[in-house]
Amino acid sequence: MTTERPARPAPGVDRDIYPMPAFVKFEAADLPATTRWYEAAGFVVLAALPGPGGSTALVHLRRQRHQDILLVPAQAAPQSAGRITMAAGGDDLRLRAAYLAAASGGSVPGPSPTPWRSDDLTLTDPDGNVVVLTEPRRADIDADPAWSAMVRDSVGRKVA
């Protein structure tokens, strides 16, 4: 299992250990291959925990603070795929898509604009789990005064 940083890491990777307020757990048929794919997506390996017989039982991945994914070996009876949306945190989604296109397995359509003024990059890992990276289109938000006021008001900023 590799613990090297990918050539194109995500911005702001935080390696601190803290109680996670939320995380997702995805099953992986090929744990090392899926781990490499997530590293190409900008995640880093915080820990790889050994299991019975020396195999890896769990890989803890993180992209940014509070963006944790736990990968575990797939069980004999596959469960349904999971899905989560995460803030892109300033990551260049077009560059991330191009970087992931060179990685083996999975798919990366987009980024695609949404009606709510964000761009979403949908990452589908080799096991069918989906991580959506979303980034607001600030220029579009700022160009619409009513929307901009609502967004600013909803995050506790004073509306002018």
Side-chain angles (χ1 to χ4, degrees), residues 10 21 49 53 113 122 155 158:
L49 304 176
T122 302
V155 295
K158 185 177 180 181

Side-chain angles (χ1 to χ4, degrees), residues 10-139:
V13 174
D14 180 350
R15 292 178 174 267
D16 289 344
I17 302 300
Y18 52 80
M20 297 181 298
F23 60 91
V24 295
K25 181 179 72 172
F26 292 153
E27 291 188 349
D30 182 340
L31 201 54
T34 300
T35 298
R36 286 189 299 275
W37 191 86
Y38 275 101
E39 287 176 314
F43 287 81
V44 297
V45 174
L46 290 184
L49 304 176
S55 63
T56 301
L58 178 136
V59 176
H60 183 171
L61 302 166
R62 180 173 297 151
R63 187 171 175 282
Q64 294 182 6
R65 190 166 185 84
H66 305 298
Q67 293 185 351
D68 296 89
I69 295 175
L70 303 181
L71 294 178
V72 297
Q75 301 301 310
Q79 296 182 358
S80 61
R83 182 180 182 97
I84 188 167
T85 299
M86 299 177 170
D91 200 0
D92 183 325
L93 296 181
R94 284 173 180 65
L95 206 53
R96 178 63 59 199
Y99 187 71
L100 271 165
S104 62
S107 67
V108 189
S112 302
T114 69
W116 45 89
R117 298 179 174 92
S118 69
D119 289 321
D120 287 1
L121 182 62
T122 302
L123 316 175
T124 303
D125 76 14
D127 301 287
N129 298 300
V130 176
V131 176
V132 178
L133 299 179
T134 187
E135 186 71 14
R137 289 192 314 272
R138 292 296 332 163

